Amino acid sequence: MSAAPRVDAVVVGAGFAGMRSIVELRRLGLSMRVFEAGSEVGGTWYWNRYPGARTDTESWGYCFFFDKELGLEWDWPERFPSQPDVQKYMVHVADRFDMRKEITFNARVDGAFFDEATNLWTVRTDTGEEVTCRWLITGLGWLGVAYKPNLAGLDSFAGEWYQTSLWPKEEVNLEGKRVAVIGTGATGIQVIQTIAPVVEHLTVFQRTPNFVMPGRNHALSDHQRAELKRDYDLITEQTFNHVFAFPMDPANQLGSEVSDDADLIRIFEKGWEDGGFRYIFTTVDDMLVDQRVNDIAAEFVRNKIRAIVKDPVTAELLCPKTHPIGGKRPPLGNFYFETFNRSNVTLVDVRPDPVAEITPTGLRLTSGAEYEADVIIFATGFDAMTGPLAKMNVHGVGDRTLEAEWVEGPNLHLGISQAGFPNLFAILGPQGPFASHPPVIEKQVEFIGKVLDKALADGAERVESTPEAGAAWTAMCDMILHMTLVPKGLDDRPWFLGANVPGKKQTTLAYLGGMAGYCAELDKERDGGFPGYAMRKAPVPA
Ligand code: N01
């Protein structure tokens, strides 16, 4: 048995998930330690401080929901808050609820080991600290492990290079520099539109164009903020009932029932003008499942691109043609396509001619074409969903690691619990709902609290999801995925199917049944007495 000091629970991470867990563990009366690799709270919003980082969810839905007073006292400055504003909010929440006393900063958990004799976890950090706990709760987020292609020659590059999700805290001066950006996902798009006016020249290396929708971000007026507070309860209800947990009502109409294409286009025009994900979600309710509707919506976006971008060759390169809307996660832009009308911006299509290597002065493509740069920015994504937990070096029953367990893909009951890893609860684990994260976290933490309520009431020391429950959840995630058009994007490497990292198992990494559907599954599990979990008091005999 480990001699390490003992607490009831260890929480890994102090982003939205870890912070919300502190509130729940306090309710349960459990002692805790919270370990955070960063020097401040924020998680994703602490690390992703690249130029232009902001949410893609409207501010009034991108927040904690556990305390109405908190919601009513906070004023968001913009429709889609910037990284500094989200970070400010999270610091405020940490202070308001006196969370720092539970958190150890600058301590990255680099190992967790389950002891079957005691049913305790020993958790180790990179500062050399060890602690044992009954309950291990991870709040690592889906996107905590950056992915960067292994390009030869990077060491020889004479300029500076940066990775967006590991952006330095110190200011990076790009003024007057020739900058290359690799990657045009949600991150790359925000970087590109933000730095283009500052740099001397920007070269964008695009492999797959995306359906970038206009965010139409704007400052919120006092009047708008007062309205949002007045509508607090309605917004909360909308959020938890919305398929992607956005604070909006569904369209309540099916595109498949609108037989005239011109009528459909008029509907899409309104959604496009409203901005943000309203284009997908307040126009029709079947854009992601009906091929005709999706085709018309996709061509609508391509026509917008053609109308905005003056050079027809560049416009065509920016038009996504190889996946449906939803086949990759659509980014939000704010004058993104307009950026390509600037004389200091060049678009390079690396789909037919990939980046082959980095040279001392820039990048060389497979064809031999060379592009000079003073700065290279990798906006190349993440080893998403499984990466953060798998890389945490988690050893469950029989010393089996999560990384080994997931070689053929995860099987997490409700996207929270993996059989063979007792007393471990993963907030935002793989196979959780594909929806705005703060509301998902709210519901998952509430659910974990209910599981622990029962375990504590029963005196259970070992709580483990069953392999059958995990397999059934995976089968359901698969079935739902294949009811949508999403798998048609697989060849374009969506990260939520494990397709963006070479060699990674491609599998269903998200539950696409919607937020309300997910909440119903959590309620069913709770009301049924947690049939997907085995709860045992005594250690399992050898
Ligand atoms: O990562 P991505 P991301 N050569 O994987 C390209 C969330 N997010 O960080 O598409 C050339 O989407 C790759 O090309 P391709 C959001 O959920 C949220 O942008 O594989 N290119 C792609 O263009 C989002 O979906 C917000 O062909 C290479 C890009 O790199 C998720 O994070 C803001 C390459 C990676 O795109 C991930 O977005 C930002 C190579 N060798 C992000 N390798 C907000 O809500 C990769 N690429 C605020």
Side-chain angles (χ1 to χ4, degrees):
M1 184 173 154
S2 170
R6 166 90 197 270
V7 286
D8 294 323
V10 164
V11 176
V12 190
F16 268 101
M19 290 168 70
R20 178 62 183 83
S21 299
I22 293 174
V23 177
E24 196 66 11
L25 290 170
R26 285 179 181 169
R27 180 190 72 75
L28 288 156
L30 297 178
S31 61
M32 72 185 98
R33 291 288 303 275
V34 181
F35 292 108
E36 165 56 53
S39 62
E40 184 44 285
V41 298
T44 290
W45 297 100
Y46 170 90
W47 296 104
N48 285 269
R49 53 182 77 226
Y50 59 82
R54 68 173 62 249
T55 74
D56 280 354
T57 305
E58 283 145 338
S59 47
W60 50 96
Y62 201 87
C63 50
F64 290 102
F65 289 90
F66 65 87
D67 187 302
K68 185 171 173 178
E69 286 307 309
L70 169 67
L72 292 182
E73 76 193 15
W74 187 255
D75 284 322
W76 289 106
E78 291 179 275
R79 178 180 180 182
F80 297 102
S82 65
Q83 179 270 336
D85 283 330
V86 182
Q87 181 65 18
K88 205 163 125 193
Y89 169 72
M90 298 187 79
V91 166
H92 166 75
V93 175
D95 290 340
R96 189 186 188 283
F97 294 93
D98 197 12
M99 290 178 172
R100 280 199 183 74
K101 65 180 185 218
E102 328 273 15
I103 306 171
T104 305
F105 292 103
N106 302 305
R108 182 180 291 279
V109 171
D110 64 4
F113 308 86
F114 185 69
D115 179 353
E116 284 188 80
T118 59
N119 289 321
L120 295 174
W121 285 94
T122 298
V123 178
R124 196 183 66 198
T125 72
D126 62 358
T127 56
E129 190 171 0
E130 280 195 356
V131 62
T132 59
C133 60
R134 174 79 63 215
W135 316 111
L136 176 56
I137 299 175
T138 60
L140 301 174
W142 273 0
L143 303 166
V145 175
Y147 164 71
K148 179 165 69 59
N150 197 9
L151 293 169
L154 188 56
D155 288 347
S156 74
F157 183 54
E160 303 156 39
W161 65 268
Y162 301 97
Q163 209 166 346
T164 46
S165 56
L166 300 170
W167 199 263
K169 280 186 190 166
E170 306 72 43
E171 199 185 326
V172 176
N173 184 7
L174 299 175
E175 225 175 285
K177 305 237 170 88
R178 296 165 305 167
V179 179
V181 174
I182 307 179
T184 53
T187 301
I189 269 133
Q190 292 185 328
V191 172
I192 290 161
Q193 67 197 10
T194 305
I195 67 172
V198 175
V199 302
E200 182 192 307
H201 195 88
L202 175 62
T203 312
V204 175
F205 294 84
Q206 172 192 272
R207 189 164 65 184
T208 308
N210 272 306
F211 290 100
V212 185
M213 278 157 242
R216 306 206 190 282
N217 186 36
H218 57 78
L220 292 173
S221 65
D222 288 345
H223 175 70
Q224 284 167 321
R225 279 197 283 263
E227 279 187 326
L228 289 168
K229 288 181 186 183
R230 182 199 65 201
D231 295 342
Y232 182 89
D233 291 335
L234 172 70
I235 288 168
T236 304
E237 197 186 315
Q238 282 176 323
T239 301
F240 288 102
N241 282 312
H242 187 269
V243 62
F244 273 65
F246 291 142
M248 53 183 81
D249 284 327
N252 289 320
Q253 66 181 338
L254 293 177
S256 54
E257 290 176 357
V258 180
S259 55
D260 188 337
D261 291 2
D263 288 338
L264 212 40
I265 287 165
R266 269 191 288 279
I267 293 169
F268 291 150
E269 190 69 57
K270 166 87 171 69
W272 186 262
E273 286 311 311
D274 288 344
F277 287 117
R278 285 166 193 269
Y279 180 70
I280 298 183
F281 295 112
T282 63
T283 51
V284 294
D285 292 323
D286 54 354
M287 193 186 286
L288 304 183
V289 294
D290 187 282
Q291 188 69 60
R292 170 184 158 265
V293 174
N294 197 292
D295 286 346
I296 295 170
E299 187 59 13
F300 178 96
V301 178
R302 287 190 287 267
N303 284 334
K304 288 289 182 193
I305 298 170
R306 290 170 185 132
I308 295 168
V309 180
K310 292 186 180 129
D311 172 42
V313 176
T314 305
E316 272 326 292
L317 287 178
L318 288 165
C319 285
K321 292 173 186 160
T322 49
H323 62 267
I325 292 180
K328 282 173 85 73
R329 197 289 216 166
L332 292 194
N334 283 291
F335 303 102
Y336 174 67
F337 292 118
E338 287 82 349
T339 303
F340 293 90
N341 290 333
R342 299 179 62 90
S343 57
N344 70 333
V345 176
T346 308
L347 180 66
V348 179
D349 180 13
V350 293
R351 199 177 179 92
D353 189 7
V355 180
E357 60 176 330
I358 309 295
T359 68
T361 54
L363 293 86
R364 184 179 295 127
L365 306 189
T366 308
S367 63
E370 293 207 30
Y371 294 87
E372 294 201 339
D374 306 310
V375 179
I376 301 175
I377 298 176
F378 291 90
T380 43
F382 300 90
D383 178 359
M385 299 158 119
T386 48
L389 259 170
K391 297 280 182 306
M392 205 179 86
N393 188 25
V394 182
H395 296 243
V397 171
D399 204 30
R400 187 164 166 79
T401 63
L402 263 181
E403 194 161 27
E405 182 73 33
W406 288 352
V407 166
E408 288 307 310
N411 289 291
L412 277 88
H413 179 43
L414 300 163
I416 294 174
S417 299
Q418 173 71 52
F421 295 81
N423 299 353
L424 168 65
F425 300 95
I427 308 163
L428 295 186
Q431 300 174 306
F434 200 97
S436 171
H437 282 175
V440 171
I441 287 165
E442 204 74 49
K443 288 296 168 189
Q444 289 191 327
V445 175
E446 269 176 25
F447 174 80
I448 293 166
K450 296 284 182 303
V451 175
L452 294 184
D453 273 334
K454 175 151 173 61
L456 295 173
D458 294 356
E461 291 181 348
R462 177 169 164 142
V463 175
E464 185 175 7
S465 62
T466 66
E468 296 75 23
W473 186 257
T474 298
M476 174 150 68
C477 288
D478 267 343
M479 183 194 71
I480 297 173
L481 172 75
H482 287 96
M483 290 163 71
T484 72
L485 300 169
V486 171
K488 296 196 173 190
L490 191 60
D491 288 348
D492 279 349
R493 296 173 285 267
W495 51 265
F496 50 85
L497 298 181
N500 64 321
V501 175
K504 185 168 173 172
K505 170 82 179 167
Q506 291 182 12
T507 182
T508 310
L509 290 177
Y511 168 87
L512 291 176
M515 187 66 197
Y518 184 69
C519 292
E521 293 291 341
L522 294 179
D523 290 349
K524 193 169 88 187
E525 178 73 14
R526 183 201 58 204
D527 296 345
F530 303 99
Y533 287 90
M535 298 201 188
R536 287 193 287 256
K537 188 167 169 41
V540 175

XYZ file of all heavy atoms in Angstrom, residues 14 52 97 155 163-164 186 199 296 339 376 379 437 439 534 542:
111
model
N -7.735 22.276 -13.939
C -8.539 23.354 -13.342
C -9.096 24.260 -14.424
O -9.001 25.483 -14.367
C -7.714 24.133 -12.324
N -6.185 35.992 -31.766
C -7.532 35.832 -32.327
C -8.374 34.764 -31.650
O -9.519 34.538 -32.061
N -15.438 31.718 -5.624
C -15.750 30.499 -4.873
C -14.525 29.978 -4.111
O -14.515 28.824 -3.696
C -16.326 29.442 -5.827
C -17.659 29.845 -6.397
C -17.732 30.499 -7.613
C -18.833 29.608 -5.688
C -18.961 30.904 -8.134
C -20.062 30.016 -6.188
C -20.130 30.667 -7.423
N 14.411 21.741 -37.108
C 15.558 22.179 -36.281
C 16.466 23.154 -37.019
O 17.167 23.955 -36.402
C 16.407 20.960 -35.868
C 15.686 20.126 -34.836
O 14.687 20.633 -34.294
O 16.113 18.983 -34.608
N 3.421 26.906 -31.949
C 2.261 26.025 -32.058
C 1.122 26.730 -31.332
O 1.307 27.180 -30.184
C 2.601 24.695 -31.379
C 1.884 23.544 -31.959
C 2.488 22.228 -31.514
O 3.586 22.188 -30.984
N 1.753 21.168 -31.731
N -0.021 26.827 -31.981
C -1.072 27.701 -31.446
C -1.468 27.381 -30.006
O -1.656 28.289 -29.208
C -2.326 27.626 -32.339
O -2.597 26.260 -32.625
C -2.124 28.404 -33.618
N -10.512 25.454 -37.142
C -11.087 26.569 -36.365
C -10.001 27.476 -35.807
O -10.168 28.701 -35.740
C -11.953 26.010 -35.234
N 1.039 41.560 -40.268
C 2.293 41.002 -40.790
C 2.651 41.645 -42.131
O 1.795 42.252 -42.797
C 2.174 39.465 -40.968
C 1.820 38.808 -39.639
C 1.141 39.103 -42.037
N -27.586 21.677 -50.723
C -28.017 23.054 -51.038
C -27.340 24.033 -50.082
O -26.853 25.100 -50.494
C -29.556 23.165 -50.970
C -30.180 22.302 -52.079
C -30.010 24.619 -51.120
C -31.686 22.136 -51.985
N -10.144 38.179 -45.910
C -8.684 38.256 -45.697
C -7.928 37.936 -46.992
O -6.842 38.470 -47.236
C -8.286 37.248 -44.587
O -9.027 37.561 -43.416
C -6.801 37.311 -44.272
N 6.957 30.546 -38.576
C 6.002 29.494 -38.985
C 5.062 29.242 -37.804
O 5.505 29.081 -36.666
C 6.722 28.178 -39.356
C 7.710 28.407 -40.503
C 5.701 27.096 -39.748
C 8.551 27.189 -40.861
N -0.924 25.440 -36.862
C -2.299 25.393 -36.334
C -2.858 24.035 -36.770
O -3.862 23.942 -37.460
C -3.126 26.539 -36.907
N -19.011 22.615 -24.613
C -18.457 21.911 -23.458
C -18.934 22.361 -22.081
O -19.217 21.501 -21.240
C -16.928 21.925 -23.537
C -16.422 20.904 -24.509
N -15.103 20.766 -24.858
C -17.083 19.949 -25.213
C -14.980 19.786 -25.725
N -16.161 19.283 -25.971
N -21.836 23.354 -20.851
C -23.065 22.664 -20.426
C -22.882 21.147 -20.277
O -23.455 20.542 -19.362
C -24.065 22.969 -21.550
C -23.515 24.148 -22.263
C -22.038 24.094 -22.113
N -20.881 -1.530 -11.553
C -20.813 -2.476 -10.440
C -20.247 -1.699 -9.261
O -19.206 -1.044 -9.389
C -19.906 -3.640 -10.792
N -8.044 -11.862 -4.576
C -7.031 -12.182 -5.592
C -7.362 -13.508 -6.264
O -7.980 -14.369 -5.664
C -5.676 -12.247 -4.944
